[in-house]
Amino acid sequence: LNHRETMAFMPVLQETKPSLPTFIQLFSSTPTNSEKVMTNNSEKQPLLLTFDLDDTLFPIGPVVQEANDKMYATMIELGVLGVTEDDYMSATKAIRQEITSPITYSDLRKRAIATFADSSFENHEDVVQQIFDAWLNERHSAAERYLFDGVQASLQELTTMYGPSSICIAAITNGRGNPLCMPNTLSSHFDFCVSGEDEGVFPERKPNEGIYQAALDRYHESDKCLDKDNYLWIHVGDCLGNDVGASADLGAHAVWVSADDSASSAGDDGKQKWSTATPAELEARAKLAVAARKKASATISTVAELPLAVSQILDEVASDVPTSS
């Protein structure tokens, strides 16, 4: 699920957006913010900066499509023939309708693959795993190819302006994307990734607080957390309910990446064609989005604008701290 699927259930909100705290202006022609942000390193709090991945750092539609294309090609290479995209999606949706307990996205995909690479195949489990691994590897490769403009530059600028030892950058995602598996783009910028697929987290995906608490616990255990009661947390994501509202409720300064939906690959109903989200799930997400809009500390259109948003949040936090007499 992503915010574009949710927005299909919010026609009124799409027509009239309420006023949000918006600190962002395009600044491609302006100097970087590194000198402005922190002039006194000794007074700043450590910063935990967490990111959603899908549709925040890269567009999930083409990424999953190319991963799926690789999956079908691998099926053919391994002798699993005649599987079309419609066949695969029908199998996936049938499994979801049959199950009565939560299932990870990985297990759902493997079970769908297994319906075609059935037990008549020699080394059946190995074939299923090879096909899944081909999909997952291509998901990461495609994410690197489709990474939004300005993401790497913004991450580097944020690290520079805050100081490598004082900033911890992490991912909090419901899916299988992992920036640490993207060696050509993101891996050097991120300290860790928490997924809704992780043991000890599933089934508490976003917007459940469990996945966020797992990320906070991971940070508290890291070398970059000197005092678990004294740090600033900023979370960045495209989904109002899953990212903005959920993180803000736990104390984060939430930054909403409100992208232009014109580039979305979703259908008229707001769903990606590979999504298995039910109408009830989308409607619930839309309700969360309504409440979450007012919880954003900043709104940006792309991550390229994030350094300025962070600068503004830091200024506001600093202005709220009483000065010693």
Side-chain angles (χ1 to χ4, degrees):
L1 294 177
N2 59 52
H3 95 284
R4 294 189 177 95
E5 294 177 352
T6 301
M7 298 303 282
F9 285 80
M10 302 174 64
V12 175
L13 291 177
Q14 285 180 321
E15 293 173 3
T16 306
K17 289 187 177 181
S19 177
L20 287 170
T22 304
F23 308 134
I24 311 309
Q25 299 175 355
L26 293 176
F27 54 96
S28 58
S29 61
T30 62
T32 63
N33 302 287
S34 301
E35 290 128 6
K36 174 187 173 185
V37 176
M38 281 295 162
T39 57
N40 189 343
N41 289 344
S42 64
E43 294 182 1
K44 69 186 178 190
Q45 289 178 297
L47 174 62
L48 171 61
L49 180 61
T50 58
F51 288 87
D52 171 59
L53 296 178
D54 300 345
D55 284 331
T56 297
L57 301 186
F58 47 80
I60 191 57
V63 167
V64 169
Q65 184 60 60
E66 294 199 6
N68 285 350
D69 290 344
K70 180 65 175 179
M71 179 183 71
Y72 303 134
T74 305
M75 285 180 171
I76 294 172
E77 292 174 6
L78 296 177
V80 184
L81 306 177
V83 181
T84 67
E85 186 172 57
D86 287 343
D87 292 336
Y88 175 78
M89 288 309 306
S90 295
T92 301
K93 292 176 180 178
I95 293 168
R96 280 210 65 179
Q97 291 171 356
E98 292 171 2
I99 60 177
T100 57
S101 58
I103 186 172
T104 66
Y105 299 133
S106 297
D107 286 344
L108 177 61
R109 183 169 291 274
K110 290 178 183 179
R111 285 183 59 174
I113 293 170
T115 64
F116 305 105
D118 59 31
S119 56
S120 63
F121 277 80
E122 187 176 356
N123 300 321
H124 163 70
E125 292 184 0
D126 289 343
V127 169
V128 171
Q129 189 63 49
Q130 287 180 58
I131 294 169
F132 176 81
D133 288 345
W135 174 85
L136 183 58
N137 290 337
E138 185 60 24
R139 191 192 198 280
H140 289 129
S141 296
E144 293 199 282
R145 292 193 296 273
Y146 283 99
L147 195 69
F148 289 135
D149 290 342
V151 167
Q152 287 179 269
S154 291
L155 292 171
Q156 184 57 56
E157 184 176 351
L158 286 161
T159 299
T160 299
M161 74 191 213
Y162 215 83
S165 63
S166 298
I167 184 172
C168 180
I169 300 178
I172 303 176
T173 178
N174 279 349
R176 281 305 304 265
N178 186 338
L180 300 179
C181 296
M182 301 178 195
N184 300 313
T185 54
L186 297 181
S187 62
S188 63
H189 298 288
F190 278 78
D191 293 288
F192 64 86
C193 176
V194 172
S195 169
E197 305 272 281
D198 291 347
E199 184 178 354
V201 176
F202 180 80
E204 295 190 348
R205 301 183 180 118
K206 294 185 287 186
N208 193 296
E209 69 177 38
I211 188 171
Y212 285 104
Q213 190 58 57
L216 295 177
D217 291 343
R218 182 83 173 268
Y219 172 63
H220 294 161
E221 295 167 0
S222 73
D223 293 339
K224 290 191 174 181
C225 180
L226 303 179
D227 183 348
K228 67 179 183 179
D229 297 318
N230 181 31
Y231 63 92
L232 183 68
W233 175 26
I234 296 176
H235 181 71
V236 184
D238 73 294
C239 182
L240 280 165
N242 278 3
D243 293 306
V244 174
S247 66
D249 286 345
L250 288 175
H253 295 269
V255 177
W256 180 29
V257 184
S258 178
D260 181 1
D261 283 345
S262 63
S264 172
S265 58
D268 292 338
D269 60 355
K271 289 176 62 173
Q272 299 284 358
K273 60 184 178 182
W274 39 262
S275 173
T276 58
T278 65
E281 288 170 332
L282 294 176
E283 187 173 5
R285 177 78 65 79
K287 290 179 180 178
L288 287 175
V290 173
R293 280 177 174 261
K294 61 185 178 182
K295 298 177 182 179
S297 294
T299 301
I300 60 180
S301 60
T302 72
V303 173
E305 301 167 9
L306 183 60
L308 190 57
V310 171
S311 174
Q312 184 67 43
I313 291 171
L314 294 175
D315 287 346
E316 292 205 341
V317 170
S319 68
D320 289 339
V321 176
T323 58
S324 56
S325 55

